[in-house]
Amino acid sequence: MRETGPRDAEDWATDDPLPGGIDAPHKWILYLDKISVSFDGFRALNNLNLYIEAGELRCVIGPNGAGKTTMMDVITGKTRPDEGEAFFNGTIDLLEHTEPEIASWIGRKFQKPTVFVNHTVLENLELAGLRDKRVWPTLITKLSAQDSDRIDATLRTIGLLDHARRQAGALSHGQKQWLEIGMLLMQNPRVLLVDEPVAGMTRQETEATAELLNGLAGEHSVVVVEHDMEFVRSIARRVTVLHEGHVLAEGTMDVIQNDQRVIEVYLGE
């Protein structure tokens, strides 16, 4: 198994849902093993296994109620599982850490963008990058040259350099989504969880988002939860299909599209 970066799609064994052998958390940037979560007798996750490599771009798909949101809640510390293990970067037990602690390693972008609409794009990034977010330090903190460079680089990455002085509320829907991704990048997470990033976007915005996420993979591990199958096809390197709280299938997009189980429960809808 290569340790230096993510695998290309052709490197994966398409008939084995657990490529490379799953024998230790330290091989994976994100390691969920036998995770189960129940709510009032309903099992939202049922013996779920998910293993993400450093620098990988992974798409997660599945019908409503498949467990996608609960999976992200477990990863970010919002929900504690009844059973199973969850590790970040091989040795950090996510189940022993709080949401704020986990947020310094794993950034989560929800479907609806949550930006400060009355502040400029630049101010949104400045606020996101502050290490001390208490009110008084926030008011008096001055940006260092290094912070300014990071903001400039982030603006270029998310394609909003020419909009830095605009109020966030005046941005298009797609631009707000990119700004929120930029706000996550200012916190320098190793893993990005991105929930339905192209919902409500124009075709041009969707294409730009695909380019953005592809560009982030490598330096970051990117997990994209999405219903838009055309978009998934445009970025997918490896796809995980959830159904009834567990992994139904996993592989390249070609493998997933031709899996009869996936067709019956999801793609054939």
Side-chain angles (χ1 to χ4, degrees):
M1 174 180 170
R2 292 183 297 180
E3 299 290 348
T4 56
R7 304 179 183 189
D8 296 326
E10 60 268 24
D11 292 336
W12 295 99
T14 57
D15 58 347
D16 182 1
L18 304 178
I22 307 303
D23 57 359
H26 69 263
K27 291 186 176 183
W28 312 91
I29 191 71
L30 193 59
Y31 174 95
L32 302 185
D33 194 65
K34 299 179 175 62
I35 294 288
S36 293
V37 176
S38 296
F39 300 112
D40 298 325
F42 170 73
R43 191 159 258 204
L45 294 180
N46 183 15
N47 203 34
L48 173 71
N49 300 314
L50 182 74
Y51 315 99
I52 305 294
E53 289 194 83
E56 181 181 357
L57 192 160
R58 177 74 65 89
C59 291
V60 178
I61 65 174
N64 291 331
K68 302 184 295 296
T69 298
T70 305
M71 175 196 75
M72 290 189 287
D73 287 346
V74 169
I75 293 170
T76 56
K78 183 178 180 180
T79 296
R80 299 294 176 181
D82 305 318
E83 301 174 357
E85 296 181 317
F87 284 87
F88 165 76
N89 203 25
T91 59
I92 298 175
D93 188 344
L94 293 175
L95 305 185
E96 294 183 353
H97 292 274
T98 64
E99 279 189 80
E101 290 170 338
I102 294 172
S104 66
W105 311 314
I106 300 172
R108 180 177 182 179
K109 190 209 153 314
F110 292 87
Q111 180 181 354
K112 183 179 179 181
T114 52
V115 300
F116 300 108
V117 294
N118 293 322
H119 291 272
T120 67
V121 169
L122 183 62
E123 289 168 342
N124 271 268
L125 296 179
E126 289 175 352
L127 289 168
L130 290 175
R131 294 167 183 82
D132 189 338
K133 292 181 169 58
R134 291 173 297 170
V135 174
W136 179 244
T138 297
L139 293 174
I140 64 174
T141 297
K142 292 185 178 180
L143 293 178
S144 67
Q146 184 178 12
D147 290 333
S148 296
D149 289 344
R150 283 188 62 217
I151 290 173
D152 185 71
T154 300
L155 286 167
R156 294 178 186 277
T157 297
I158 62 178
L160 295 179
L161 185 62
D162 294 337
H163 301 275
R165 302 293 177 181
R166 288 185 69 189
Q167 277 201 332
L171 299 176
S172 71
H173 173 70
Q175 290 170 330
K176 288 175 183 174
Q177 298 279 33
W178 304 333
L179 174 56
E180 187 171 24
I181 291 174
M183 293 169 70
L184 291 180
L185 294 177
M186 288 299 299
Q187 299 169 49
N188 200 30
R190 293 281 304 280
V191 177
L192 293 171
L193 305 180
V194 187
D195 190 8
E196 296 194 42
V198 299
M201 284 190 182
T202 65
R203 177 175 293 276
Q204 185 176 10
E205 289 174 335
T206 297
E207 291 173 354
T209 302
E211 183 177 351
L212 170 59
L213 295 176
N214 272 308
L216 293 175
E219 184 175 352
H220 306 271
S221 299
V222 183
V223 179
V224 179
V225 174
E226 184 54 75
H227 284 290
D228 186 327
M229 293 310 300
E230 183 177 350
F231 177 71
V232 170
R233 290 185 190 98
S234 74
I235 66 169
R237 302 176 188 179
R238 186 166 179 83
V239 180
T240 297
V241 184
L242 298 190
H243 178 58
E244 296 182 345
H246 67 273
V247 174
L248 177 68
E250 197 166 87
T252 64
M253 194 62 196
D254 285 343
V255 169
I256 294 301
Q257 286 180 296
N258 291 289
D259 189 308
Q260 190 59 40
R261 298 168 302 168
V262 179
I263 293 171
E264 289 175 359
V265 305
Y266 187 56
L267 298 181
E269 291 182 346

